[in-house]
Amino acid sequence: MVTDMEKHGFIKIAPSILAGDFGHLAQEAKRAEDAGADSLHLDVMDGHFVPNLTIGPQIVAAINRATDLFLDVHLMIYRPFDYIERFVEAGADNITFHLEATEDVEETLSYIRKCNIRAGLAFNPKTSLSMIPRYLNKCDVILLMTVDPGFGGQSLIKSVLDKVKFVRDVCDQLNIRAGGITMKSNPSLHSALPPIEPFDIQVDGGINQKNVRFCVEAGANIIVAGTSLYRAPDMRIAIQELREAAEKSHDN
Ligand code: DX5
Ligand code: ZN
């Protein structure tokens, strides 16, 4: 279970710039920063793994020059391993790739971490989570897609919330904390250490101020939102409302 101390700063809001104005990406990045975002989510699509094309490392580098926000790069591309270095050089602070996109899951996670940034593993809504226990201690975040990846503006697939709960339960059972670190069951062994935060579970797709509570109740703590933040009349208010709805449900 998550304690009161651990709740502080637990929910993170990550606007997805995919819903922003691609004619003014630098300003759109700054807009998220000024509106109080915790990180900026960048969707990279290759037209093969998903039927859409978006941005590459050059654009990520340009966005990096425009903002101090933590850059969360979500690769929806085949052969993610081959592109890690270029996205790291571009300023990625986290790289998440899809389990479905490569045979080299462990090598890719480990290489991302070797580059001194955070590593994430993403699952499509229909993908089995049976391999989850094998990867939890090798990554920093699990991303559960709440839509079929490829496009913004879709509706959240509610059945994924059971999967979120499943991952949170596995983390609790195995005592897996932030960064995939396992806490030993004997508290005296780590009583002198600072508390380690819970493992990060991210959700992405179709999330808004009305349904975010279901995601958080299921156990997610990093909330990606494109349309509901970038297309809102005032992004600061939209982030505030999303955060309040998320944190409120967490208290219940
Ligand atoms: C979908 C992307 C999402 C998308 C979310 O493939 O991974 O990040 O931008 O956008 P909304 O919140 O509009 O569903
Ligand atoms: Zn995404």
Side-chain angles (χ1 to χ4, degrees):
M1 283 312 281
V2 177
T3 66
D4 281 346
M5 202 190 304
E6 289 167 341
K7 273 183 201 168
H8 182 72
F10 183 57
I11 304 289
K12 303 257 178 347
I13 306 292
S16 169
I17 208 165
L18 187 65
D21 178 351
F22 268 46
H24 302 92
L25 284 175
Q27 290 94 317
E28 290 294 65
K30 199 78 187 97
R31 187 153 76 93
E33 182 175 334
D34 294 344
D38 295 304
S39 60
L40 188 64
H41 185 82
L42 307 178
D43 288 308
V44 175
M45 307 186 189
D46 66 355
H48 294 278
F49 180 69
V50 287
N52 196 5
L53 286 159
T54 55
I55 61 173
Q58 261 186 308
I59 303 286
V60 172
I63 291 172
N64 188 39
R65 289 194 293 275
T67 178
D68 291 329
L69 278 174
F70 179 100
L71 297 187
D72 170 27
V73 174
H74 176 194
L75 298 182
M76 284 158 276
I77 63 173
Y78 283 120
R79 295 166 50 196
F81 188 98
D82 298 354
Y83 297 90
I84 292 168
E85 281 175 26
R86 296 195 55 202
F87 283 104
V88 171
E89 283 162 17
D93 297 296
N94 178 95
I95 293 179
T96 293
F97 63 95
H98 275 255
L99 177 91
E100 307 86 359
T102 177
E103 299 281 303
D104 305 324
V105 175
E106 294 194 17
E107 291 85 342
T108 307
L109 287 173
S110 132
Y111 192 55
I112 296 171
R113 283 183 151 186
K114 236 181 236 169
C115 295
N116 282 324
I117 63 164
R118 284 165 47 102
L121 186 59
F123 292 77
N124 283 342
K126 289 194 187 81
T127 301
S128 160
L129 296 180
S130 60
M131 301 295 272
I132 273 280
R134 175 167 162 184
Y135 298 123
L136 283 177
N137 65 351
K138 298 181 178 68
C139 64
D140 299 283
V141 56
I142 292 288
L143 166 55
L144 295 169
M145 291 304 300
T146 37
V147 298
D148 289 316
F151 299 92
Q154 305 180 73
S155 301
L156 177 135
I157 300 171
K158 273 202 156 186
S159 58
V160 177
L161 301 179
D162 290 337
K163 296 188 155 201
V164 174
K165 187 165 184 331
F166 172 78
V167 177
R168 182 56 74 201
D169 286 347
V170 173
C171 289
D172 288 346
Q173 277 156 23
L174 301 179
N175 229 342
I176 303 260
R177 300 312 197 83
I181 294 165
T182 311
M183 297 295 279
K184 298 279 179 288
S185 51
N186 181 351
S188 65
L189 286 176
H190 48 79
S191 56
L193 298 173
I196 294 185
E197 292 185 351
F199 187 81
D200 283 328
I201 300 178
Q202 183 175 36
V203 282
D204 180 11
I207 299 166
N208 56 40
Q209 291 76 3
K210 289 207 174 90
N211 60 24
V212 68
R213 72 187 186 94
F214 302 119
C215 301
V216 175
E217 277 164 12
N221 68 305
I222 303 182
I223 311 297
V224 177
T227 309
S228 64
L229 297 182
Y230 269 102
R231 305 284 167 93
D234 183 328
M235 200 196 286
R236 172 167 284 279
I237 293 173
I239 289 183
Q240 215 171 0
E241 287 175 353
L242 194 68
R243 198 187 295 284
E244 276 169 14
E247 285 176 352
K248 206 167 153 202
S249 64
H250 209 247
D251 288 341
N252 292 335

